[in-house]
Amino acid sequence: MDFMESYKLWLEKATEDIDLVNELKSIKDNEKEVYERFYKSLEFGTAGLRGIIGAGTNRMNIYVVRQATQGLANYVNKKYGKGAVAISHDSRIKADLFMNEAAKVLAANGIKVYITTELQPTPVLSYLVRYFNCQAGIMVTASHNPAAYNGYKAYGEDGCQMTDDAANAVYDEICNIDIFNDVKTMDLQKAIDEGLVEYVKDEVYTSYIEEVKKQQINPDVCKDADLKVVYTPLNGAGNKLVRRILDEIGVKDVTVVEEQELPDGNFTTCPYPNPEIKEALQKGLDLCEKVQPDLLLATDPDADRVGIAVKDYDGSYRLITGNEDGVMLTEYILSNRVAKGTLPKNPVMVKTIVTSKLVEKLCEKYNVELKNVLTGFKYIGEVILNLEKTGNESDFVFGFEESYGYLAGTYVRDKDAVVASMLICEMAATFKKQGKTLAQVIDGLYEEYGYYKNTTLSFEFEGSEGMQKMADIMVSIRENMPKEIAGYKVVKTADYKLSVEKDVVNNTETVINLPKSNVIQLNLENDNMVIIRPSGTEPKIKIYLTAVGKDKNDAQVVTDKLEIASKELLGVN
């Protein structure tokens, strides 16, 4: 069926959502707009679905959600015979609607459903899957994407995002489902009355909070530290539980950014609600100038990531990168657990390949095994699962990725801004009692180990041609591996799609024992590094730069050179 035939079918069949009806009618004479919505279907992968909200097979809407959920239902019923699925959502536009539609499909397929009465953080969904012994989970979220987007993250029975095999199996089911004729659904109230759908009770969230509190390193340190915090949930799902955990550990002086306190999928004060971006934190930074807190906390819309800013030497507020925060937390957790004798006999830390190499030095210092995994927190969750299978789950100490995602403990299998916010405040309180700010802490680590500057560049390739352009770029780099970048010789390459690492200096090859992924890593002289990774869910390529210098200025000079060379490598301005 070509895109115009699909469009005409939707005009006839997609009548339940008036927003979709109006949108379809509005584009009837615009072939380009019709094409953008129908030239393909959103693909279901390990990250589930993600796309612009609207009409068509290439948009997020109730019909696409129902089709995906029917595929998930078929998968669960075929694999387990029967099962249960937990579902929640964040503050995204139509997120609660999509949750309810998914619940109705699952119930119609005889699957027990646990749904939340209001928006919840993504890590809570992971917790619900494990708490209720579900076979799968669904989180309706588009994480930190702009307001026009929504998404559908799928989880396996371990509470971790779906593996490649499971996601492929669900996608195979979806491909065999007619979006209008093959989807089962039923009335939500009827499903509730028949016990097929059940709302999660408040005591479950209390049990989650208790698990978070078990991850404290110095449980009483915040009670008399007089720590002052400004917090913004960025109009997302973190507001209640982050404030609750801070209150319960003794952080009483918390000022919330009023404009970003309540759920709002339009994100009017931060078009890109991403704690990696300064503009998203600007309202919080403005409030910091008035309140003068010790630190600013900002959680993203689904509250699985947290960014911070800390008071600098001159009284201004310094943004701390995801790498810097993770490095500080690593040092704090390891040093304090060693001092208290609570580190397990065979401690394990996990980070992604694009995350700061400075962590390697800290793990060497404290004799902790460090595992490097592919980008994506599901791979950190997979390490925990493998430890669990061998009875060594308690060996996991901490895991993080550079994009502000952190996890201590094994009660969930995804990054958790609630536990991270707690530990950050605990860390800040501990150092405050020692007369140190977090700015001094990270600078002290740089003085000790060298200045590791990590920079992420993001290049967007929008429209129907974007994904093909990205694919062509990756093929070109593979076929013409650079011998040097910005004057620094390439000493080692790693192609995670081909699972081959090449030592250029010694002319040797080794096999990479990680899942295949479309990532190219170029190790340069002086411990500098360039990693190229196209997104699997968005039309963008990310480049991760590691620049090592004697100090900040030295590292910045290297970064500037690598950034210019990286743009040339991609053929972009």
Side-chain angles (χ1 to χ4, degrees):
M1 186 182 299
D2 70 16
F3 71 95
M4 284 305 300
E5 289 176 337
S6 293
Y7 169 67
K8 290 174 183 176
L9 181 64
W10 276 61
L11 272 175
E12 177 188 349
K13 299 280 190 178
T15 58
E16 294 177 64
D17 186 331
I18 190 62
D19 292 337
L20 302 187
V21 172
N22 291 336
E23 182 180 344
L24 288 167
K25 289 179 179 178
S26 72
I27 61 171
K28 65 178 182 179
D29 298 319
N30 192 327
E31 186 172 308
K32 180 181 178 182
E33 290 297 331
V34 173
Y35 180 75
E36 284 293 337
R37 287 161 176 78
F38 290 96
Y39 80 94
K40 68 169 186 173
S41 297
L42 291 180
E43 290 190 17
F44 187 97
T46 56
L49 301 168
R50 188 175 297 180
I52 295 170
I53 303 163
T57 56
N58 190 34
R59 293 289 187 267
M60 283 294 297
N61 53 67
I62 60 172
Y63 302 102
V64 168
V65 167
R66 288 175 183 172
Q67 183 187 42
T69 308
Q70 183 64 55
L72 179 64
N74 291 352
Y75 165 78
V76 169
N77 281 332
K78 285 181 180 180
K79 183 171 182 179
Y80 301 100
K82 59 180 181 178
V85 176
I87 319 177
S88 190
H89 67 92
D90 66 5
S91 61
R92 291 273 161 184
I93 295 168
K94 294 186 182 289
D96 55 345
L97 172 64
F98 293 164
M99 177 185 75
N100 289 338
E101 290 297 327
K104 289 156 63 175
V105 172
L106 292 166
N109 283 272
I111 294 171
K112 174 78 176 187
V113 185
Y114 298 94
I115 61 174
T116 58
T117 55
E118 62 179 351
L119 74 171
Q120 294 293 341
T122 285
V124 169
L125 184 278
S126 176
Y127 182 76
L128 296 179
V129 171
R130 298 175 61 76
Y131 183 92
F132 290 113
N133 296 312
C134 295
Q135 283 62 57
I138 301 167
M139 181 68 190
V140 181
T141 177
S143 188
H144 54 279
N145 282 86
Y149 285 79
N150 208 332
Y152 176 114
K153 290 172 70 172
Y155 288 75
E157 61 183 328
D158 61 341
C160 190
Q161 281 191 55
M162 275 196 168
T163 62
D164 292 329
D165 289 344
N168 288 337
V170 173
Y171 183 57
D172 287 344
E173 293 289 344
I174 293 170
C175 290
N176 292 316
I177 293 167
D178 183 280
I179 198 167
F180 294 115
N181 298 321
D182 296 340
V183 177
K184 298 177 184 177
T185 188
M186 69 183 296
D187 178 73
L188 182 60
Q189 188 57 53
K190 185 180 182 208
I192 293 170
D193 293 341
E194 293 182 5
L196 284 165
V197 172
E198 180 180 326
Y199 286 106
V200 177
K201 296 179 174 61
D202 287 346
E203 54 259 36
V204 179
Y205 305 122
T206 297
S207 71
Y208 162 80
I209 286 291
E210 291 305 312
E211 289 297 328
V212 172
K213 286 163 71 174
K214 288 178 184 178
Q215 311 313 317
Q216 294 175 92
I217 308 297
N218 294 300
D220 298 321
V221 72
C222 291
K223 293 179 180 177
D224 60 354
D226 195 29
L227 191 72
K228 184 182 285 191
V229 175
V230 165
Y231 170 58
T232 172
L234 296 179
N235 301 117
N239 189 34
K240 287 188 176 182
L241 290 185
V242 170
R243 292 168 75 175
R244 177 176 176 178
I245 194 66
L246 296 188
D247 180 70
E248 291 192 16
I249 67 170
V251 182
K252 302 296 184 179
D253 193 345
V254 178
T255 305
V256 181
V257 177
E258 185 177 355
E259 303 96 321
Q260 298 174 340
E261 178 179 7
L262 300 179
D264 181 1
N266 293 301
F267 306 116
T268 52
T269 62
C270 52
Y272 289 86
N274 182 348
E276 296 180 64
I277 300 173
K278 182 180 180 181
E279 287 74 16
L281 276 61
Q282 192 58 55
K283 287 289 184 183
L285 292 169
D286 292 343
L287 187 57
C288 285
E289 296 299 328
K290 299 176 183 177
V291 176
Q292 291 294 302
D294 296 292
L295 75 154
L296 164 71
L297 290 174
T299 54
D300 69 339
D302 64 326
D304 61 352
R305 303 191 306 147
V306 58
I308 70 171
V310 302
K311 185 173 279 191
D312 216 337
Y313 306 102
D314 61 358
S316 64
Y317 285 84
R318 184 202 297 191
L319 292 175
I320 299 296
T321 69
N323 275 307
E324 289 176 328
D325 199 3
V327 165
M328 285 192 291
L329 283 169
T330 299
E331 169 66 21
Y332 172 71
I333 291 169
L334 294 183
S335 63
N336 279 268
R337 290 193 66 172
V338 166
K340 291 174 175 289
T342 60
L343 206 60
K345 184 179 179 181
N346 301 300
V348 174
M349 261 206 60
V350 192
K351 75 172 187 69
T352 60
I353 58 174
V354 299
T355 297
S356 178
K357 296 170 74 175
L358 182 49
V359 177
E360 297 172 5
K361 296 182 179 294
L362 297 177
C363 286
E364 289 173 8
K365 176 181 177 180
Y366 294 107
N367 197 28
V368 172
E369 180 184 2
L370 176 64
K371 291 184 180 292
N372 281 288
V373 297
L374 294 175
T375 303
F377 220 87
K378 61 180 175 286
Y379 296 113
I380 295 176
E382 191 174 49
V383 171
I384 302 173
L385 177 62
N386 290 334
L387 289 170
E388 184 181 40
K389 287 177 180 178
T390 58
N392 298 305
E393 181 182 347
S394 61
D395 286 348
F396 174 76
V397 177
F398 185 59
F400 81 99
E401 57 187 5
E402 45 69 48
S403 54
Y404 300 76
Y406 314 96
L407 177 64
T410 62
Y411 59 100
V412 298
R413 300 299 162 85
D414 209 342
K415 49 190 177 286
D416 186 353
V418 181
V419 75
S421 296
M422 180 191 76
L423 288 171
I424 288 165
C425 287
E426 184 186 304
M427 174 175 66
T430 300
F431 284 115
K432 185 173 183 178
K433 286 187 171 182
Q434 298 173 12
K436 292 182 180 179
T437 66
L438 292 184
Q440 291 171 317
V441 171
I442 188 61
D443 287 347
L445 290 170
Y446 284 144
E447 288 175 13
E448 183 175 357
Y449 297 104
Y451 201 101
Y452 280 71
K453 181 172 177 58
N454 299 94
T455 304
T456 302
L457 309 176
S458 185
F459 303 94
E460 295 192 9
F461 300 85
E462 293 287 0
S464 56
E465 298 177 355
M467 299 302 281
Q468 184 58 52
K469 174 70 172 174
M470 288 161 53
D472 292 343
I473 288 171
M474 295 303 289
V475 168
S476 176
I477 294 173
R478 277 194 174 87
E479 292 179 349
N480 305 280
M481 281 287 197
K483 293 181 171 55
E484 66 172 42
I485 296 178
Y488 299 99
K489 290 181 181 178
V490 175
V491 297
K492 187 180 291 185
T493 66
D495 189 330
Y496 291 89
K497 186 175 184 178
L498 302 179
S499 300
V500 173
E501 182 178 84
K502 294 182 179 181
D503 186 322
V504 177
V505 177
N506 298 313
N507 196 29
T508 58
E509 291 189 6
T510 55
V511 175
I512 298 173
N513 292 313
L514 290 173
K516 292 184 183 298
S517 182
N518 191 14
V519 179
I520 295 172
Q521 178 176 317
L522 303 169
N523 293 343
L524 312 177
E525 294 175 295
N526 303 334
D527 218 18
N528 300 310
M529 187 168 66
V530 174
I531 295 179
I532 307 118
R533 183 180 77 88
S535 170
T537 58
E538 304 170 85
K540 65 173 62 173
I541 290 179
K542 286 188 175 182
I543 292 188
Y544 304 84
L545 306 178
T546 297
V548 184
K550 298 187 294 292
D551 54 32
K552 183 177 181 179
N553 291 335
D554 190 25
Q556 186 62 53
V557 170
V558 179
T559 298
D560 292 342
K561 292 179 182 177
L562 293 178
E563 183 170 344
I564 293 170
S566 296
K567 290 179 180 179
E568 291 174 355
L569 191 62
L570 263 60
V572 299
N573 295 324

